[in-house]
C-alpha cells in the first residue's frame, strides 16, 4: 500500500498554495491597476497632443489656442488661401514630448509627418508605419477615433494612437510611446513575482515550524498509544502506566479530545484487565477449592471401600462402611449440584417468569428451618398482603433456604432469627419487595463481611466440615438474586443482617 502523506506536509502544502494564490491575485490586480492608470495618463496626454496637431493641420499654427475663432479684419470678404503646415511645424512642435509621432493625411494620402527623438532630432516614418497610422484615421461622419495600442515595429515599438479630422478635411494621426508604461509595469511585475516567491518560501518555512509545534502534542499522544501496544495484555497482571499528559490535553481542542478519549480507553482497558485478572484468580481459587471439596469425600469413599474390601472384614463393618460411603456420596452429589447451579447461573439463562408470592414462599421456608433448628427462636413478620415478584419459585426458595441455613449453622443455640418481608413503595406503586433475615448472634467478622458472597467463603479459615456447608450457599443466593434483577447485601449493625430486594411484579 502507498504510504500516506503526513498531516504536517498536507497542511504546509495547503497553506503555501493559499499564500501563492493570494500573492498571484494581488500581484495581477496591482499590475493591471497600475497599467490602466498609466495608460489613462498617456491617453490624456495623447488627447492634448492630438488637439494641438489638429490645430496645426487646420492652419492655426502652433501658437493658436485650440478652439479659438480666427479674427475677421475689415475689408473685402474674400477667403485667404489655405496655409499648409511645414515639417517643422508638425514634428517637434512646442508642447510635444520626445517620441511623439504626428502624421497628416489629405484624401487618405500621407502629406507630412514624422517623430522627434529624445535628443531633439526629427525622424521620418517608414512606409509600413505610414500605412499603420493611416488605418487610425476617422471614417464616415466621425471626427476622431479612440486611442488604441499599435505596434509600429522597428525602433518605435508599441504606441498609443488616436486620429482626428480638421475642419479643412485634413486627417491628423497622433501617437505617444508606451515605453514608460511598459517599463514601469514590467518592473512592478518583476517585483511582485520576487515578493510572491519570497512570501511562498516564508509561508512554507513558517507553516512547517508552526505545524511542527502544533503537532508535537499529537505525536506524544501517538507515542503513548504505541507504548501501550508494546505491553503484553494476554496474561498476568497488567498495569498500563502510560497516559496522555494534561498539558497535551490542554494544548488544542482536537488533541485534547483524542488524548482524553485515549486516556478513558486506557482506563477502561486497565479496569477490564484488572477484572480479568481478578476473575482468573477467583477461578483458580474456585477450581482449587472445588477440587479440595471433591477430593475429601472421594478420599473418604476410597478409604471405606478399601476397608470393606479386606479379607478379614466383618459383615457389620462392611455395612457401616457402606453407610458412610453413602453419606459422603450424598455430600459430594450436593456439592456437584451446587457447582452445576452456579455454572447455569453464570451462563445467564432465561429464567422462568412466573408470578411468585414471596410471602407464602418465605413462610414455608421458615417452617422447614424451624424443624431443622428447633433450638433457635424463629420470628416471622410477613404482613397481610401478598408480595408478588416475577421469577423462578424454586430458585427463589433456594435463596431463602440458604439465608436461613446460614443463620442456623453459624449461630449458637437460643439465637433469635427474625425474618421480615415488606414492600418498598414509590408513591402509590409498589416498586420492590424487600426480605430481611437477621439474627442476634455473634455477627460476621470484618474479613468475612467483605467476601461473604464469594464462592467457598467461610467464617473460618479451616476447611473442617463442622464449620458448615461447602461455602457456596451465599454465592448461589447472590447469583439467583442478580439473575432476577435484584440485589443482596449485608446490612450494618449487631449480629448478621442480610437484605434481599427484588423488583415487584
Amino acid at each position: 500500500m502507498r504510504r500516506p502523506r503526513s498531516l504536517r506536509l498536507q497542511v504546509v502544502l495547503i497553506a503555501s498554495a493559499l499564500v501563492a494564490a493570494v500573492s498571484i491575485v494581488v500581484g495581477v490586480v496591482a499590475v493591471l491597476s497600475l497599467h490602466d492608470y498609466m495608460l489613462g495618463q498617456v491617453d490624456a496626454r495623447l488627447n492634448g497632443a492630438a488637439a494641438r496637431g489638429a490645430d496645426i493641420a487646420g492652419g492655426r499654427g502652433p501658437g493658436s489656442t485650440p478652439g479659438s475663432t480666427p479674427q475677421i479684419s475689415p475689408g473685402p470678404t474674400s477667403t485667404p488661401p489655405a496655409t499648409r503646415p511645414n515639417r517643422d511645424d508638425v514634428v517637434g512642435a512646442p508642447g510635444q514630448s520626445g517620441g511623439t509621432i504626428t502624421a497628416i493625411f489629405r484624401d487618405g494620402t500621407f502629406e507630412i509627418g514624422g517623430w522627434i527623438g529624445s535628443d531633439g532630432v526629427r525622424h521620418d516614418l517608414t512606409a509600413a508605419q505610414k500605412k499603420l497610422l493611416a488605418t487610425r484615421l476617422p471614417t464616415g461622419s466621425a471626427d476622431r477615433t479612440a486611442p488604441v495600442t499599435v505596434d509600429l515595429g522597428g525602433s518605435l515599438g508599441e504606441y498609443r494612437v488616436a486620429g482626428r479630422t480638421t475642419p479643412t478635411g485634413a486627417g491628423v494621426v497622433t501617437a505617444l510611446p508606451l515605453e514608460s508604461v511598459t517599463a514601469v509595469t514590467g518592473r512592478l511585475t518583476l517585483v511582485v513575482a520576487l515578493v510572491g516567491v519570497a512570501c511562498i518560501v516564508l509561508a512554507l518555512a513558517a507553516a512547517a515550524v508552526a505545524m511542527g509545534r502544533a503537532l508535537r502534542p499529537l505525536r506524544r499522544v501517538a507515542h503513548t498509544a504505541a507504548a501501550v501496544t508494546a505491553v503484553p495484555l494476554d496474561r498476568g497482571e497488567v498495569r498500563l502506566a502510560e497516559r496522555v499528559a494534561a498539558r497535551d490535553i490542554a494544548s488544542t481542542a482536537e488533541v485534547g479530545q483524542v488524548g482524553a478519549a485515549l486516556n478513558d480507553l486506557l482506563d477502561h482497558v486497565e479496569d477490564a484487565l484488572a477484572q480479568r485478572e481478578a476473575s482468573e484468580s477467583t477461578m483458580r481459587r474456585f477450581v482449587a477449592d472445588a477440587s479440595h471439596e471433591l477430593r475429601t469425600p472421594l478420599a473418604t469413599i476410597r478409604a471405606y471401600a478399601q476397608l470393606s474390601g479386606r479379607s478379614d472384614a466383618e459383615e457389620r463393618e462392611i455395612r457401616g462402611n457402606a453407610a458412610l460411603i453413602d453419606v459422603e456420596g450424598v455430600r459430594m452429589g450436593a456439592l456437584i449440584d451446587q457447582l452445576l447451579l452456579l455454572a447455569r447461573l453464570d451462563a445467564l439463562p432465561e429464567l422462568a417468569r412466573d408470578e411468585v408470592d414471596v410471602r407464602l414462599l418465605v413462610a414455608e421456608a421458615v417452617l422447614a428451618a424451624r424443624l431443622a433448628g428447633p433450638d433457635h427462636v424463629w420470628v416471622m413478620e410477613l404482613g397481610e398482603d401478598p408480595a408478588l415478584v416475577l421469577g423462578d419459585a424454586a430458585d427463589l426458595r433456594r435463596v431463602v433456604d440458604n439465608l436461613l441455613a446460614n443463620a442456623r449453622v453459624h449461630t449458637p443455640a437460643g439465637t433469635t432469627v427474625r425474618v421480615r418481608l415488606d414492600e418498598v413503595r414509590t408513591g402509590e406503586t409498589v416498586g420492590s419487595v424487600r426480605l430481611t433475615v437477621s439474627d442476634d448472634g455473634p455477627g460476621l467478622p470484618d474479613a468475612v463481611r467483605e467476601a461473604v458472597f464469594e464462592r467457598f467463603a467461610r467464617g473460618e479459615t479451616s476447611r473442617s466440615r463442622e464449620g458448615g456447608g461447602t461455602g457456596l450457599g451465599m454465592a448461589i443466593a447472590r447469583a439467583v438474586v442478580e439473575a432476577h434483577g435484584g440485589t443482596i447485601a449485608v446490612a450494618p449493625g449487631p449480629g448478621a443482617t442480610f437484605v434481599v430486594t427484588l423488583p415487584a411484579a
Side-chain angles (χ1 to χ4, degrees):
M1 295 178 61
R2 185 173 61 89
R3 183 179 179 182
R5 289 183 294 182
S6 66
L7 178 62
R8 178 182 181 182
L9 177 60
Q10 295 184 32
V11 173
V12 168
L13 291 178
I14 292 174
S16 302
L18 290 176
V19 172
V22 172
S23 300
I24 292 174
V25 171
V26 172
V28 170
V29 172
V31 171
L32 292 179
S33 299
L34 179 63
H35 182 270
D36 291 343
Y37 174 74
M38 296 190 69
L39 201 62
Q41 288 186 326
V42 171
D43 288 345
R45 290 167 44 212
L46 179 62
N47 288 330
R52 288 191 295 273
D55 290 340
I56 294 173
R60 284 192 284 263
S64 61
T65 303
S68 60
T69 303
Q71 298 293 329
I72 302 176
S73 58
T77 60
S78 61
T79 302
T83 302
R84 293 183 180 273
N86 56 33
R87 185 168 180 267
D88 294 337
D89 294 333
V90 173
V91 180
Q96 288 184 349
S97 60
T100 302
I101 297 176
T102 304
I104 300 176
F105 296 84
R106 291 188 184 275
D107 299 328
T109 303
F110 177 78
E111 183 177 279
I112 192 172
W115 58 282
I116 185 170
S118 58
D119 54 359
V121 178
R122 293 175 175 83
H123 301 274
D124 292 328
L125 297 170
T126 65
Q129 292 170 348
K130 295 175 183 178
K131 186 176 180 180
L132 287 174
L133 294 175
T135 59
R136 301 312 305 163
L137 290 171
T139 58
S141 60
D143 62 348
R144 65 183 64 188
T145 58
V148 294
T149 301
V150 177
D151 187 2
L152 297 178
S155 61
L156 295 180
E158 289 188 341
Y159 266 69
R160 196 70 170 167
V161 181
R164 293 199 179 192
T165 302
T166 64
T168 60
V172 181
V173 177
T174 307
L176 292 181
L178 293 179
E179 181 181 0
S180 60
V181 176
T182 304
V184 172
T185 54
R187 184 176 182 84
L188 179 61
T189 302
L190 178 61
V191 171
V192 168
L194 294 177
V195 172
V197 172
C199 290
I200 293 173
V201 173
L202 290 177
L204 282 170
V209 173
M211 285 305 301
R213 294 176 60 88
L215 294 178
R216 193 174 301 163
L218 190 59
R219 286 196 294 270
R220 286 196 289 266
V221 172
H223 176 74
T224 300
V228 172
T229 58
V231 178
L233 306 179
D234 56 338
R235 62 188 180 277
E237 184 178 358
V238 179
R239 290 290 179 267
L240 302 178
E242 296 288 341
R243 290 294 186 277
V244 179
R247 63 188 179 95
D248 293 333
I249 294 178
S251 59
T252 60
E254 293 76 9
V255 176
Q257 292 176 356
V258 176
L262 180 58
N263 283 349
D264 292 341
L265 176 62
L266 293 178
D267 290 339
H268 292 320
V269 171
E270 192 171 44
D271 292 341
L273 292 174
Q275 293 177 5
R276 186 210 66 186
E277 174 63 21
S279 176
E280 291 179 352
S281 177
T282 302
M283 182 60 64
R284 287 192 294 268
R285 187 172 63 253
F286 173 75
V287 172
D289 291 338
S291 301
H292 180 86
E293 293 294 336
L294 290 173
R295 183 177 61 185
T296 300
L298 284 174
T300 303
I301 291 172
R302 183 179 179 184
Y304 286 131
Q306 289 176 351
L307 290 175
S308 300
R310 289 184 296 117
S311 59
D312 58 345
E314 299 180 357
E315 183 179 353
R316 180 180 179 182
E317 183 182 0
I318 293 174
R319 285 198 299 268
N321 292 340
L324 293 174
I325 289 174
D326 182 68
V327 170
E328 293 299 329
V330 171
R331 174 182 172 83
M332 187 170 62
L335 175 60
I336 293 174
D337 290 341
Q338 290 177 331
L339 293 176
L340 290 175
L341 176 60
L342 283 173
R344 179 175 66 86
L345 294 174
D346 288 341
L348 300 176
E350 289 291 336
L351 298 177
R353 303 292 293 174
D354 301 327
E355 194 173 76
V356 180
D357 188 351
V358 183
R359 180 170 172 267
L360 298 179
L361 187 145
V362 170
E364 295 173 356
V366 172
L367 291 177
R370 180 181 295 173
L371 295 177
D375 51 355
H376 285 65
V377 179
W378 302 91
V379 179
M380 288 191 297
E381 299 176 3
L382 304 183
E384 299 180 356
D385 298 328
L388 302 178
V389 299
L390 294 178
D392 190 313
D395 286 343
L396 293 175
R397 172 63 185 270
R398 186 176 286 108
V399 172
V400 181
D401 288 339
N402 288 349
L403 291 174
L404 297 180
N406 182 73
R408 174 174 55 82
V409 172
H410 295 288
T411 58
T415 300
T416 300
V417 181
R418 188 179 301 274
V419 182
R420 181 178 179 182
L421 189 65
D422 56 0
E423 296 175 341
V424 180
R425 292 182 175 270
T426 304
E428 297 295 329
T429 305
V430 177
S432 58
V433 175
R434 181 169 56 198
L435 171 66
T436 304
V437 178
S438 60
D439 61 68
D440 56 1
L444 295 173
D446 292 338
V448 176
R449 183 183 295 271
E450 297 178 358
V452 67
F453 296 109
E454 299 295 331
R455 298 174 183 184
F456 295 106
R458 289 174 171 172
E460 55 185 19
T461 57
S462 67
R463 297 182 180 272
S464 62
R465 301 181 190 178
E466 290 77 15
T470 60
L472 296 176
M474 291 297 99
I476 292 175
R478 182 180 66 175
V480 172
V481 170
E482 291 179 350
H484 283 77
T487 60
I488 183 171
V490 180
T497 303
F498 293 87
V499 179
V500 177
T501 304
L502 295 170

